[in-house]
């Protein structure tokens, strides 16, 4: 699908059917992005168009930080793999799991700090656009609804301790009573409108308790 791992394409697709997407702001011009940054309240969420598991996602707390990211986006660009962030994730997984797999992942992360992957070399930097989403406060988890044909199942992903991100946390709950029926209905409606056979939908809730769609993906791991 053309929108796979492409949040910019997803935005256009979801807005075309009036899906309840989190307010999302994309700029293809540095000056327009900086001017917009003068008008908003912080924090706000910065993302790259590519990436999963909360990689390439940052909480921006000030205009100066936003301008720095904007300037980089229209300068040398951002690596599609944030190696420093991935390394921090490896440390977090060691503290959480305390097993051999997480230790091996940490050692792999050390190597990636020094040696770029083939993907980074071939793909090149993400540049000439900047992507922000409104920060939706007071969410201690997100809800993922996965629709496959006429069936759906859900997972609740808890936010990492000391973080705002739920994707990639590995802290999962499955009880049926955790899932808002509106999220299930919205997910089925989108799949029907866009003729999806399989799709995962990620939701948070605004301050009026309305579900807002963060992003979608047909490639997913139900345990993260």
């Amino acid at each position: 699908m053309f929108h796979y791992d492409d949040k910019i394409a997803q935005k256009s697709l979801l807005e075309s059917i009036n899906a309840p997407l989190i307010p999302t702001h994309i700029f293809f011009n540095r000056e327009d992005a900086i001017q917009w940054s003068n008008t908003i309240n912080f924090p706000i969420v910065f993302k790259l168009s590519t990436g999963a598991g909360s990689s390439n996602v940052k909480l921006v707390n000030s205009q100066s930080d936003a301008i720095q990211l904007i300037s980089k986006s229209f300068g040398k660009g951002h690596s599609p793999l944030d190696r420093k962030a991935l390394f921090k994730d490896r440390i977090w997984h060691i503290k959480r799991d305390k097993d051999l797999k997480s230790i091996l992942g940490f050692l792999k992360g050390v190597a990636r700090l020094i040696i770029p992957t083939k993907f980074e070399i071939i793909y090149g930097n993400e540049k000439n656009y900047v992507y922000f989403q409104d920060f939706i406060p007071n969410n201690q988890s997100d809800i993922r609804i996965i629709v496959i044909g006429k069936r759906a199942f859900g997972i609740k992903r808890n936010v990492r301790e000391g973080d705002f991100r739920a994707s990639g946390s590995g802290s999962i709950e499955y009880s049926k009573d955790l899932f808002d029926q509106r999220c299930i209905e919205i997910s089925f409606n989108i799949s029907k409108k866009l003729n999806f056979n399989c799709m995962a939908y990620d939701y948070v809730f605004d301050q009026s308790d309305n579900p807002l769609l963060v992003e979608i993906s047909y490639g997913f791991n139900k345990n993260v």
Side-chain angles (χ1 to χ4, degrees), residues 19 24 29 63-64 71 117 123 127 180 186 223-224:
T24 301
N29 177 280
Q63 186 187 18
S64 60
S71 296
T117 64
Y123 194 89
K127 59 193 304 185
D180 191 303
I186 292 167
N223 295 315
V224 297

Side-chain angles (χ1 to χ4, degrees), residues 138-194:
N138 304 320
N139 280 276
Q140 298 304 311
S141 62
D142 73 3
I143 298 296
R144 167 166 282 187
I145 303 296
I146 299 167
V147 176
I148 303 174
K150 296 182 179 181
R151 300 182 183 274
F153 64 94
I155 60 174
K156 176 184 177 182
R157 304 183 298 186
N158 294 311
V159 168
R160 316 171 196 213
E161 185 177 354
D163 205 333
F164 74 101
R165 300 170 299 167
S167 178
S169 72
S171 176
I172 309 295
E173 297 181 62
Y174 301 95
S175 177
K176 184 178 179 180
D177 59 4
L178 296 173
F179 306 112
D180 191 303
Q181 184 66 29
R182 293 172 297 173
C183 296
I184 299 170
E185 292 172 357
I186 292 167
S187 301
F188 271 115
N189 286 337
I190 294 174
S191 284
K192 183 177 180 180
K193 286 181 179 179
L194 297 176

Side-chain angles (χ1 to χ4, degrees), residues 93-172:
H93 281 289
I94 285 179
K95 292 179 179 178
R96 186 196 68 185
D97 299 331
K98 299 180 177 65
D99 60 9
L100 179 60
K101 182 178 179 181
S102 61
I103 293 171
L104 292 174
F106 169 77
L107 295 175
K108 187 176 180 181
V110 171
R112 282 190 173 177
L113 276 175
I114 304 168
I115 305 169
T117 64
K118 289 183 179 179
F119 173 75
E120 289 177 273
I121 295 169
I122 294 171
Y123 194 89
N125 284 354
E126 291 278 305
K127 59 193 304 185
N128 298 324
Y129 74 90
V130 66
Y131 181 111
F132 293 102
Q133 279 188 331
D134 284 5
F135 174 62
I136 310 299
N138 304 320
N139 280 276
Q140 298 304 311
S141 62
D142 73 3
I143 298 296
R144 167 166 282 187
I145 303 296
I146 299 167
V147 176
I148 303 174
K150 296 182 179 181
R151 300 182 183 274
F153 64 94
I155 60 174
K156 176 184 177 182
R157 304 183 298 186
N158 294 311
V159 168
R160 316 171 196 213
E161 185 177 354
D163 205 333
F164 74 101
R165 300 170 299 167
S167 178
S169 72
S171 176
I172 309 295

Side-chain angles (χ1 to χ4, degrees), residues 2-4 6-14 26 49 131:
F2 76 94
H3 55 77
Y4 174 70
D6 186 340
K7 296 179 182 66
I8 294 175
Q10 286 184 22
K11 177 181 184 292
S12 297
L13 181 68
L14 293 169
I26 301 171
S49 183
Y131 181 111

